[in-house]
Amino acid sequence: MEFGLFIGGWVPDYLDGRDDEAEHERLLNEVRVAEVGDRHNWKYVWVTEHHFLTEYSHISANEVVMPFILSRTEQIRVCSGIINVTPPVNHPARIAERVAMLDHLSGGRFDFGTGRGSSTTEQGGFGITDSDLTRDMFDEVMPEFRKMWSQDSYSFDGKFFSMPERNVLPKPYVKPHPPMWVAAGNPETFEKAGKLGLGVICFTGGSPEKMRPLVETYKEAIQDADPVGEFVNDNIAVTTNFLCLEDGDAARDHMTKSRNGRQQSLVFKYLDTFPKPPMVPDWPTEIPDPTLEQLAAGFEKGTSIVGTPDECSEALQKWDGIGVDQLIMGPTGTALPFEVIEESVRLFGDEVIPTFDQDPEARSARHRRLAGEGLAIGTR
């Protein structure tokens, strides 16, 4: 099981009064988290893309953030989590250009995570008035990337975007192209991702046992994949939270006042295409931070990865047992001081990750390498 960091650009309390200094510091600290992960065994860092979602996420231009992180790191894979591929938000040819350019600048360290957006605030801001249309947009766009990256003369005339004959440049650096992923939140998308040969980024919360059927659905579907790219990226990643400190009681105490409840409340305020559980209050009432008793119960289920390195490792066994390929951890979904987050990322990387992941090659990179080697053999 591999591990990734998720940076989302949450700027706490910005809704209560604009604070540009806090916004600036927060965005730079997100980059610093990636730098720490690079030095301490983390294999991936995922960078979100959101628009117009005050406080919840101020990372609106991840095509700027990702190369900045790449320039400041050496080992970690930088991944889009996600790039919105609906044409009103990002023209597909511009996406193809940026992905290939990131591939060159990173020397093959970039993973291409895709999605269609999950907020009518975002979709409406770009003129999308029917959320259901984004499914059709996704289906139209995704098969076109492999063509843009491989053909010297590309054209397309579709329902949602068209372009005359052009050579989309540059072509990817490492053949055939960066590993492709898609965000998923319901069983249908997990199955669809598997059939398309895409890695899946699960943004649905829950315990390992709750996630087990979704993992099984994906793993079954990908056995008979008809890949939308040039190769199958058999990979399932699940997002969650963690806090790892030498003093487990201190870690748990931090989580009881981490403000993560406010951050989670903003998920349901904005991401209105997600189903809202009945126990979640309407904004501005916030989900409370967990109590010590709730953290203890979560530890038994595997949803509370909080404590010492040994305690975090014990909780992670439940995730490893259901066949998850990667856990994506979001340390900045809290309002904890950066020094605490930095220590947690360092300690987890040094003392927990080697227990679960001793392979120097990333799983997504291996899928790409083997595909490239197969293509090379086919041309001889």
Side-chain angles (χ1 to χ4, degrees):
M1 187 166 65
E2 300 178 319
F3 295 88
L5 292 161
F6 183 81
I7 61 175
W10 180 40
V11 183
D13 301 323
Y14 204 86
L15 278 167
D16 297 335
R18 176 175 164 178
D19 187 340
D20 292 345
E21 285 299 318
E23 178 187 57
H24 177 73
E25 181 178 7
R26 191 74 178 182
L27 292 173
L28 291 182
N29 280 346
E30 297 274 21
V31 173
R32 293 170 65 195
V33 167
E35 293 179 74
V36 176
D38 181 57
R39 298 192 297 268
H40 296 282
N41 295 320
W42 294 79
K43 273 187 176 167
Y44 305 81
V45 58
W46 296 85
V47 186
T48 195
E49 176 192 336
H50 281 298
H51 306 274
F52 322 125
L53 305 188
T54 307
E55 183 172 327
Y56 175 67
S57 176
H58 290 216
I59 296 181
S60 55
N62 62 0
E63 71 273 17
V64 176
V65 178
M66 292 185 292
F68 187 64
I69 291 174
L70 284 167
S71 72
R72 300 169 70 90
T73 57
E74 296 179 356
Q75 304 294 330
I76 201 165
R77 299 189 65 81
V78 177
C79 319
S80 54
I82 57 162
I83 292 175
N84 188 318
V85 298
T86 59
V89 179
N90 290 299
H91 191 285
R94 293 290 288 125
I95 295 173
E97 292 169 342
R98 292 168 186 160
V99 169
M101 189 67 76
L102 283 163
D103 193 44
H104 277 271
L105 297 178
S106 69
R109 260 200 299 144
F110 176 70
D111 278 29
F112 178 32
T114 69
R116 51 191 177 85
S118 50
S119 167
T120 57
T121 299
E122 298 178 274
Q123 292 166 355
F126 291 102
I128 303 172
T129 57
D130 182 354
S131 292
D132 289 340
L133 281 178
T134 62
R135 293 183 176 88
D136 297 333
M137 292 177 185
F138 180 87
D139 291 344
E140 179 175 285
V141 167
M142 288 302 292
E144 299 308 304
F145 292 119
R146 68 192 293 182
K147 300 174 189 175
M148 295 185 208
W149 290 327
S150 62
Q151 297 175 4
D152 292 336
S153 179
Y154 169 83
S155 63
F156 185 72
D157 185 13
K159 179 179 179 180
F160 299 106
F161 88 99
S162 300
M163 59 182 296
E165 192 172 291
R166 293 291 187 273
N167 190 6
V168 180
L169 299 169
K171 305 303 182 192
Y173 173 62
V174 180
K175 304 306 178 193
H177 56 69
M180 298 172 70
W181 303 70
V182 63
N186 59 64
E188 293 77 17
T189 311
F190 279 80
E191 183 177 12
K192 182 176 182 177
K195 289 180 176 179
L196 294 176
L198 298 170
V200 66
I201 317 160
C202 175
F203 288 106
T204 300
S207 67
E209 282 308 306
K210 178 183 174 183
M211 292 295 107
R212 184 189 293 273
L214 297 177
V215 175
E216 292 173 349
T217 294
Y218 173 78
K219 290 297 183 180
E220 181 177 350
I222 206 164
Q223 296 305 309
D224 299 310
D226 181 13
V228 72
E230 294 288 354
F231 63 96
V232 173
N233 182 25
D234 180 358
N235 249 311
I236 183 163
V238 176
T239 56
T240 186
N241 210 333
F242 83 110
L243 187 63
C244 182
L245 299 175
E246 293 284 6
D247 185 334
D249 289 335
R252 286 180 282 273
D253 182 62
H254 275 302
M255 286 303 293
T256 64
K257 48 195 176 187
S258 65
R259 311 288 307 287
N260 183 245
R262 180 177 175 97
Q263 196 267 352
Q264 291 299 306
S265 299
L266 289 165
V267 170
F268 296 104
K269 169 181 168 63
Y270 286 121
L271 307 189
D272 49 2
T273 64
F274 283 4
K276 180 180 175 184
M279 72 287 296
V280 174
D282 292 331
W283 182 268
T285 303
E286 297 179 26
I287 301 170
D289 283 337
T291 64
L292 291 174
E293 291 75 19
Q294 288 171 329
L295 287 172
F299 179 80
E300 295 302 318
K301 296 178 181 178
T303 57
S304 177
I305 307 170
V306 180
T308 65
D310 286 344
E311 290 169 330
C312 288
S313 294
E314 183 178 345
L316 288 169
Q317 295 289 347
K318 297 180 176 64
W319 288 105
D320 198 31
I322 68 167
V324 169
D325 297 309
Q326 182 185 159
L327 277 184
I328 303 173
M329 323 289 268
T332 59
T334 69
L336 297 174
F338 176 76
E339 291 72 20
V340 173
I341 294 172
E342 180 180 31
E343 174 61 13
S344 177
V345 171
R346 181 199 64 77
L347 189 63
F348 190 95
D350 287 350
E351 299 194 21
V352 178
I353 288 178
T355 302
F356 296 88
D357 181 16
Q358 297 180 354
D359 190 338
E361 185 176 29
R363 182 179 175 88
S364 65
R366 177 179 294 108
H367 289 319
R368 180 186 192 171
R369 175 176 58 79
L370 293 175
E373 291 173 357
L375 289 172
I377 291 172
T379 60
R380 292 174 186 171

